[in-house]
Amino acid sequence: MSIVDELGDKLAVETLKAMEELGNDRFYNDVAKVIGALSPSMQEAFMTSIRIRMASARGFDFVEAVLKAKREGGAAPEVPRDTASH
């Protein structure tokens, strides 16, 4: 992992903690703007880490919700429609 990736990931971890404390799920955009003005490379590493970490959390939440629904006999959450065109 390069220094840019390492620092971008560390900043992403701290930003995710701040987002939770602030109750602002879009705060990462502000951080990206601040660092992007000085280093586009750092901004991209940060945004990649944020996206990966947020997607991973969403995936884990989905798996947990599906298993909970199965165990409790409820309805599983809907899967979002695939809007990507291939």
Side-chain angles (χ1 to χ4, degrees):
M1 183 180 278
S2 74
I3 188 71
V4 172
D5 293 332
E6 186 176 322
L7 290 173
D9 189 55
K10 284 183 181 183
L11 183 57
V13 169
E14 292 304 312
T15 300
L16 289 167
K17 290 177 189 175
M19 287 167 50
E20 188 172 325
E21 186 174 332
L22 295 168
N24 180 351
D25 65 350
R26 305 297 288 173
F27 178 65
Y28 68 92
N29 286 317
D30 296 337
V31 176
K33 288 177 188 174
V34 168
I35 62 176
L38 192 56
S39 175
S41 298
M42 176 70 170
Q43 182 186 41
E44 185 55 37
F46 168 74
M47 287 302 293
T48 297
S49 185
I50 281 285
R51 285 187 213 106
I52 289 169
R53 289 178 174 280
M54 290 175 71
S56 176
R58 186 179 291 174
F60 279 111
D61 289 347
F62 178 75
V63 170
E64 184 178 310
V66 169
L67 290 174
K68 181 179 179 185
K70 182 191 182 308
R71 291 174 185 142
E72 296 177 359
E78 289 189 33
V79 176
R81 286 181 10 153
D82 186 6
T83 58
S85 58
H86 298 277

